[in-house]
Amino acid sequence: MVFSFIIAIAINNVLILLVLRVGNEMEWNWFLSYFPYLITPLYIVLFVFTFLVLTRPIVKDLINLQRGLQIISGGDLNYRVSVHRQDELGQVASNINLMAERLQQQIKKERELEISKMEMITSISHDLRTPLTSIIGYIELLRTNSFQNTDEYTRFVQNTFNKTMHIKKMLDDLFEYTRLTSIESHLDLKQVDVVQLLDQLLFEFEPLAQENGINIVKEIEDYPIIILIDSDKIARAIDNLLMNALKYSVKPGTVRILMMTDNKQVTIEIENKGNSLTKEQEDKLFERFYKVDHSRNSDGIQTGAGLGLSIARNILELHGGTLTFKLLNNIYKFTLTLPFETKSISSIQPTAQ
């Protein structure tokens, strides 16, 4: 309006000077006598015309914004309003596009969560049905006394017990993962010698490794390293990594455990030689319920629900540490870090996987 006012006054004054000059030269006295009455209407016309010309681009942009909002509200979240202004209308257009993008991401996230829930239900049902079917079969044999001798009876009972413990482990993993990813997950932090903790875990792990043709090579410090951690959870994370290495190692083979320290953190590496992985398998390795090969024979090692690596990573993240994976020449290397000054995350938001 200010620009229209100034431009209208300028044009009006120029026209007045031209009209007076031409009127005097042509001696149009009758026109000059009526001209003062035309100055105000002329100014109004000039002002309105100038205002419409100056506001036309704004009106077009407003119509464009209205059309964009109508299209987006109609469900087409891929539509984006064109942004070619740097003023307030340009900011409005940018915010509309940002809103559409965030709505699109939110809907995509909700769809992924829904798919994840369905996959979780399917995975749990599948993993529980197989051992449960075996348990029912063995119990039916025992109930009907369908065994030939004491040895067969003992074998049926032992197999039933093993399948039951398998189900218990899967349910424990599921419970642990749910608890770790809940908003009320807390750590019981204490000063712990991580060298002693790792040494104890390897001592318990070695007999099982030897039974499966796996040699343990450890390179850990021989002096105490005190760090503030939740020892039960860290032991669970390391144990999951060791069991993962045992399941997916080439047999006979070697599992190497290396510990390093610097001024900021403790680093533990667990290496084993396994089969090659595709890029998709590497990317999904830490996803919940994901197994590299569902049909893989683990040589008698009870397979879990595909939560071990997810649980391990969540535990490390709760401690402010990290868990990463690297594959080179079929050598699996899991690297976990624990900071000396643990900035404990008392709660962690659930993530969509």
Side-chain angles (χ1 to χ4, degrees):
M1 291 184 68
V2 173
F3 284 137
S4 300
F5 177 76
I6 295 173
I7 293 172
I9 289 178
I11 295 175
N12 193 59
N13 291 337
V14 171
L15 289 176
I16 291 173
L17 293 175
L18 289 174
V19 169
L20 291 176
R21 183 175 179 179
V22 172
N24 289 328
E25 290 179 355
M26 302 297 294
E27 296 182 353
W28 291 348
N29 295 327
W30 61 272
F31 179 75
L32 294 176
S33 62
Y34 288 102
F35 182 69
Y37 299 101
L38 301 175
I39 293 177
T40 300
L42 178 63
Y43 170 75
I44 294 174
V45 171
L46 288 172
F47 176 80
V48 172
F49 177 77
T50 305
F51 182 79
L52 290 176
V53 171
L54 292 178
T55 56
R56 181 173 177 78
I58 299 177
V59 173
K60 290 178 64 177
D61 288 336
L62 286 174
I63 294 175
N64 185 39
L65 290 177
Q66 184 270 339
R67 179 173 173 272
L69 281 172
Q70 188 175 11
I71 293 174
I72 292 172
S73 63
D76 186 3
L77 297 180
N78 292 316
Y79 182 82
R80 295 294 181 266
V81 179
S82 59
V83 181
H84 54 271
R85 304 175 65 97
Q86 301 298 324
D87 56 6
E88 288 80 1
L89 285 180
Q91 293 179 2
V92 171
S94 298
N95 289 334
I96 290 174
N97 291 337
L98 181 61
M99 176 194 68
E101 183 178 352
R102 289 182 176 176
L103 284 173
Q104 196 173 28
Q105 292 175 351
Q106 182 65 26
I107 292 175
K108 181 181 178 181
K109 183 178 180 181
E110 289 177 358
R111 288 175 179 172
E112 290 176 349
L113 283 173
E114 189 65 27
I115 293 174
S116 178
K117 289 178 182 178
M118 294 304 298
E119 289 178 347
M120 179 184 70
I121 294 172
T122 302
S123 179
I124 292 175
S125 301
H126 177 270
D127 289 338
L128 291 179
R129 182 175 59 183
T130 302
L132 187 59
T133 301
S134 297
I135 290 173
I136 293 174
Y138 284 122
I139 290 178
E140 179 65 20
L141 292 174
L142 294 171
R143 188 180 68 86
T144 57
N145 295 322
S146 300
F147 49 88
Q148 297 179 356
N149 49 47
T150 304
D151 291 339
E152 192 170 53
Y153 172 84
T154 303
R155 181 166 59 85
F156 287 171
V157 171
Q158 185 62 44
N159 288 342
T160 303
F161 176 78
N162 291 340
K163 296 296 182 181
T164 305
M165 295 305 296
H166 184 196
I167 293 178
K168 180 180 182 301
K169 183 181 185 305
M170 288 193 293
L171 293 176
D172 288 343
D173 285 345
L174 180 61
F175 174 75
E176 181 71 13
Y177 182 83
T178 304
R179 190 169 54 141
L180 286 171
T181 55
S182 72
I183 60 175
E184 298 180 353
S185 180
H186 296 280
L187 298 178
D188 183 15
L189 297 175
K190 297 179 181 178
Q191 297 287 345
V192 176
D193 181 2
V194 70
V195 174
Q196 183 179 1
L197 176 64
L198 182 58
D199 199 47
Q200 178 65 30
L201 289 172
L202 292 176
F203 177 77
E204 297 172 358
F205 178 69
E206 280 183 316
L208 181 60
Q210 291 176 1
E211 289 178 8
N212 288 273
I214 298 296
N215 181 42
I216 301 298
V217 176
K218 54 183 179 179
E219 301 176 20
I220 63 177
E221 306 293 352
D222 56 359
Y223 55 87
I225 299 176
I226 307 300
I227 191 171
L228 188 65
I229 57 174
D230 185 325
S231 59
D232 290 339
K233 285 186 170 58
I234 293 298
R236 176 69 178 270
I238 296 175
D239 184 67
N240 286 354
L241 293 174
L242 291 173
M243 289 303 299
N244 184 80
L246 183 59
K247 291 176 186 177
Y248 297 104
S249 285
V250 175
K251 301 175 180 64
T254 300
V255 173
R256 178 173 173 265
I257 297 92
L258 172 66
M259 175 186 285
M260 299 172 289
T261 60
D262 55 30
N263 295 330
K264 296 182 179 180
Q265 64 187 19
V266 176
T267 301
I268 299 174
E269 294 181 354
I270 299 176
E271 293 183 3
N272 66 281
K273 186 173 183 180
N275 296 325
S276 61
L277 300 178
T278 65
K279 185 65 170 64
E280 181 183 3
Q281 288 174 326
E282 285 191 58
D283 293 339
K284 292 184 176 181
L285 205 57
F286 290 98
E287 289 187 9
R288 59 184 179 182
F289 303 108
Y290 180 75
K291 302 175 185 178
V292 172
D293 188 354
H294 291 276
S295 62
R296 180 171 182 148
N297 181 10
S298 297
D299 297 333
I301 305 171
Q302 293 284 8
T303 57
L307 287 171
L309 296 180
S310 296
I311 290 173
R313 171 170 277 186
N314 275 304
I315 290 173
L316 269 297
E317 289 177 349
L318 280 172
H319 285 79
T322 61
L323 175 60
T324 59
F325 172 76
K326 184 177 181 181
L327 176 62
L328 182 62
N329 296 328
N330 289 354
I331 300 297
Y332 297 3
K333 179 189 288 187
F334 287 91
T335 303
L336 65 90
T337 64
L338 284 169
F340 280 111
E341 296 182 5
T342 302
K343 296 179 180 179
S344 170
I345 305 173
S346 59
S347 65
I348 182 170
Q349 296 295 337
T351 55
Q353 297 180 355

